[in-house]
Amino acid sequence: MSAEPKPSPARDKFHERMHSSHMYGLWELASQMTPNPQPKAIAYMWPWSELEPIIKASGEMVPVGEERRALQLFNPGLGGRWATTNNLIAAVQLLLPGEVARAHRHTPTAIRLIIEGSGAYTAVDGERVYMEPGDLILTPSWSWHDHGNETDKPIIWMDGLDIPLIASLDAMFFQFYSQAQVPTTRPANASKQLHGHTHLTPTWVKEKPRASPLLLYSWQQTREALDTLRAQEGSPHDGICLEYQHPQTGGPVMPTMSCKVQMLRPGERTRAHRHTGSAVYHIVQGEGETIIDGQRFSWNKGSIIAQPSWAVHEHANTSTKEDAVLFSINDTPVLESLGLYYEEEFTEGGGRQQVTSTFSSHP
Ligand code: 1HN
């Protein structure tokens, strides 16, 4: 390190002149070239015991108007920025019996993970996709979507979107549809009928959209897959962890966001690792804990956890009887596509000894 130059009135004056011309010296900014990622977002948990009463009260306090009744989870480290992690937003949305959330479209990509209730729908480009707990439903970038609840029970889901990323790319577009709902032009769950057959893909469909053309990943299929794989060793970091796939390409479901589901078997504790890219977890079932950069978050069904990029994390199912299942969204497809996915593993026992280091694009 070279010594700081001695302060001098002439030098101060020079800096003032430079700043007033909207210029800064690299010597003033060097601390921002950090040796590793240093996210402003913090690891944070919204326990279901805190989310549930507020989302339920929102049903009495706020109508579904022009906008959705969706509680946006603001990361406390981001100073009021509309973001749950640097690139992702998670929200919890309530739609009461008889309500419609009017049709709109936007360039940010969205996913829904159904938490509670059954039989409401999201209509995506004229196709009603019906919701059951644990289902994953996609609304790709720029697809028209409205939500309707024709049942007699409320429905609650988690939304996950890449809003902060799209905003920082200055690529935000938003439109309302001319009517409250887009006319239905396809049978209910048509995308599942067409694309929802594992390893069997319709040959007559020629378009291969960037986002998955399969809009519904049913909990029934997900649960069956997890059960079938129960005896496998799984990932040392994530247990029986499955990535939802684009059925035609095998890649992530969206160009900017990947979705995963992971089962931790009774008593299972994973090994710590860290990687570039942030994630938001939603606990589908069970009880356990996630330790992020040394901070312990004890979770149960419904809780939502924000995990910043490069944070060391490990998960545990603290029950000796029940499975734990975590659903998560992440922004790693962006990192991967730019050659910026980097991962480090740690040895067992919290000793935090780095054991491997890989740059996906620099083998
Ligand atoms: C949105 O359009 C929905 O369509 C939900 O239900 C949550 C959060 C941020 C921006 C747009 C929806 C959203 C959102």
Side-chain angles (χ1 to χ4, degrees):
M1 274 269 189
S2 61
E4 283 282 307
K6 267 189 270 158
S8 83
R11 190 174 288 115
D12 287 352
K13 223 163 170 211
F14 166 74
H15 279 90
E16 273 169 38
R17 183 173 145 214
M18 182 174 62
H19 296 167
S20 70
S21 291
H22 306 284
M23 298 179 202
Y24 277 78
L26 180 57
W27 59 90
E28 299 177 280
L29 305 166
S31 67
Q32 292 184 45
M33 298 297 285
T34 58
N36 47 36
Q38 291 181 13
K40 291 197 177 62
I42 61 168
Y44 193 77
M45 178 169 76
W46 291 264
W48 185 242
S49 59
E50 198 176 335
L51 285 168
E52 187 183 27
I54 299 180
I55 187 69
K56 295 211 162 142
S58 77
E60 283 154 36
M61 303 307 294
V62 206
V64 172
E66 288 289 274
E67 267 317 327
R68 279 84 165 106
R69 192 190 287 113
L71 299 176
Q72 313 289 307
L73 306 184
F74 274 38
N75 188 295
L78 291 176
R81 221 180 119 209
W82 183 17
T84 309
T85 70
N86 192 39
N87 292 327
L88 301 170
I89 184 86
V92 180
Q93 183 163 170
L94 169 69
L95 198 63
L96 295 172
E99 286 183 333
V100 166
R102 67 171 289 189
H104 69 198
R105 66 178 175 180
H106 37 69
T107 45
T109 285
I111 64 94
R112 332 275 160 201
L113 196 282
I114 315 310
I115 299 177
E116 199 178 294
S118 170
Y121 61 84
T122 292
V124 184
D125 282 336
E127 169 184 337
R128 287 184 177 189
V129 185
Y130 280 88
M131 303 172 166
E132 294 299 325
D135 286 357
L136 169 65
I137 294 177
L138 310 184
T139 52
S141 175
W142 211 233
S143 56
W144 291 113
H145 53 285
D146 52 84
H147 314 296
N149 183 359
E150 295 173 352
T151 77
D152 57 3
K153 300 243 163 53
I155 185 130
I156 298 176
W157 64 80
M158 180 178 87
D159 302 292
L161 298 97
D162 54 7
I163 297 245
L165 174 70
I166 301 309
S168 78
L169 294 172
D170 279 334
M172 177 74 75
F173 293 87
F174 174 91
Q175 282 178 349
F176 280 119
Y177 191 66
S178 55
Q179 302 152 54
Q181 296 192 273
V182 176
T184 298
T185 50
R186 277 187 295 236
N189 293 352
S191 80
K192 191 168 194 317
Q193 283 171 33
L194 190 60
H195 291 288
H197 314 282
T198 316
H199 299 133
L200 296 169
T201 201
T203 57
W204 61 93
V205 177
K206 298 303 178 199
E207 30 333 325
K208 286 194 171 54
R210 297 285 299 273
S212 165
L214 177 61
L215 302 173
L216 172 61
Y217 293 75
S218 71
W219 176 244
Q220 191 195 325
Q221 263 184 350
T222 305
R223 177 78 249 180
E224 275 171 27
L226 290 172
D227 265 341
T228 306
L229 293 165
R230 148 179 318 280
Q232 298 279 320
E233 203 175 328
S235 152
H237 306 112
D238 289 304
I240 301 297
C241 183
L242 307 175
E243 184 181 26
Y244 293 85
Q245 263 187 356
H246 185 305
Q248 296 164 319
T249 66
V253 287
M254 305 287 202
T256 53
M257 268 196 295
S258 164
C259 298
K260 289 184 194 165
V261 65
Q262 64 196 100
M263 175 170 69
L264 304 168
R265 290 149 290 190
E268 182 168 3
R269 180 172 285 275
T270 69
R271 271 170 60 169
H273 74 157
R274 69 175 162 194
H275 47 74
T276 49
S278 64
V280 181
Y281 299 91
H282 159 71
I283 314 307
V284 177
Q285 65 178 69
E287 283 174 17
E289 62 186 31
T290 293
I291 301 172
I292 307 177
D293 277 342
Q295 209 183 337
R296 184 185 309 266
F297 298 96
S298 296
W299 39 254
N300 54 16
K301 180 176 156 50
S303 300
I304 296 179
I305 301 166
Q307 176 183 287
S309 179
W310 205 238
V312 179
H313 56 281
E314 60 188 79
H315 310 286
N317 179 350
T318 51
S319 163
T320 53
K321 296 196 183 71
E322 309 287 333
D323 293 330
V325 178
L326 284 67
F327 168 82
S328 57
I329 57 173
N330 66 72
D331 51 17
T332 49
V334 182
L335 284 304
E336 290 270 14
S337 68
L338 300 176
L340 296 171
Y341 184 76
Y342 186 57
E343 181 178 3
E344 285 181 358
E345 282 189 85
F346 293 81
T347 45
E348 255 161 317
R352 286 286 181 90
Q353 216 199 326
Q354 183 188 318
V355 290
T356 64
S357 218
T358 32
F359 244 130
S360 61
S361 55
H362 304 261

